[in-house]
Amino acid sequence: MHKSTFLAALMLSLGALTFAFGVGTATAQDVRYDFDKTKDFSKYKTYKWVPIKGADQLDDLTTTKVVSAVDAEFATKGLSKSDSDTADLYIGFQTALGTEKQYTSYNTGWGYGPGWGAGWYGGGGYSSTTYGSTSTIYNGQLDLSVYDSNDKQLIWRGAATKTLDPKAKPEKKEKNIAKAVAKLLKNYPPKSK
């Protein structure tokens, strides 16, 4: 086997491995947030849920799980839920669902087969087989928006993105939602300087 053929085969195998591992890291949960640095978050004590116009709506069961998880996290931060329009904060959420394709491949490695070339031992040579498969990955994003009720301005927004398991049992879905919300609200309220 020529050195250049060997290097090309090795680079192809390494490229397939890098691609497979690179796609695998996309399954981790990603959380991002931003806030208005001019606001004093310590003055906010109550909040009211409000719908976000034009937002994609979840089914009632999932909506209840998201609202319960946010309520539980806000309670640990000293915020009280209210149905009054005079609440300090208005909060709402929206979601986005998407899919992407993942390609996974592996190589059977090195072997001997036809094509090695003429020589003392005749026609043996290098052969290798690459197998691959594709799968669909479901991604979900939860976007939570927090508004100052007095001036109706957005003061905090966070988004959590995670790979979803469409076959997850209800208990697993609830646990995943609670984990996502806890991670999303980890930095709420923002630390004052």
Side-chain angles (χ1 to χ4, degrees):
M1 174 186 254
H2 289 17
K3 184 177 179 180
S4 62
T5 307
F6 171 78
L7 288 175
L10 181 62
M11 293 304 287
L12 181 63
S13 297
L14 288 175
L17 276 175
T18 302
F19 180 75
F21 282 113
V23 171
T25 60
T27 61
Q29 188 175 61
D30 181 37
V31 171
R32 298 173 193 268
Y33 70 98
D34 196 8
F35 62 96
D36 183 343
K37 293 177 174 81
T38 66
K39 297 295 182 182
D40 175 10
F41 284 81
S42 65
K43 72 177 186 173
Y44 301 117
K45 303 296 181 197
T46 59
Y47 68 94
K48 177 182 178 178
W49 282 100
V50 295
I52 296 179
K53 292 180 184 177
D56 287 340
Q57 298 298 310
L58 295 171
D59 62 85
D60 290 344
L61 294 172
T62 306
T63 296
T64 300
K65 289 176 177 127
V66 169
V67 169
S68 294
V70 172
D71 288 345
E73 283 299 313
F74 272 175
T76 67
K77 297 171 183 298
L79 292 167
S80 300
K81 184 169 142 179
S82 172
D83 290 328
S84 171
D85 288 340
T86 61
D88 300 328
L89 300 170
Y90 292 155
I91 64 168
F93 76 92
Q94 54 189 322
T95 60
L97 299 174
T99 61
E100 62 185 68
K101 294 289 184 190
Q102 176 177 337
Y103 178 74
T104 307
S105 69
Y106 69 93
N107 191 300
T108 60
W110 306 102
Y112 294 98
W116 185 262
W120 290 98
Y121 300 104
Y126 164 77
S127 71
S128 174
T129 305
T130 301
Y131 296 95
S133 65
T134 59
S135 58
T136 301
I137 298 173
Y138 296 90
N139 295 307
Q141 179 172 316
L142 173 64
D143 180 275
L144 184 67
S145 299
V146 178
Y147 299 86
D148 183 305
S149 66
N150 288 328
D151 57 16
K152 311 289 190 279
Q153 294 294 311
L154 180 68
I155 62 168
W156 189 93
R157 172 175 270 161
T161 305
K162 184 171 180 5
T163 301
L164 304 174
D165 178 5
K167 297 176 187 173
K169 294 183 178 180
E171 301 82 27
K172 181 72 171 170
K173 267 177 76 174
E174 188 167 2
K175 183 178 176 184
N176 286 340
I177 289 170
K179 262 172 110 172
V181 169
K183 192 170 180 182
L184 178 62
L185 291 173
K186 178 182 176 187
N187 293 305
Y188 184 92
K191 306 287 185 256
S192 58
K193 292 186 178 187

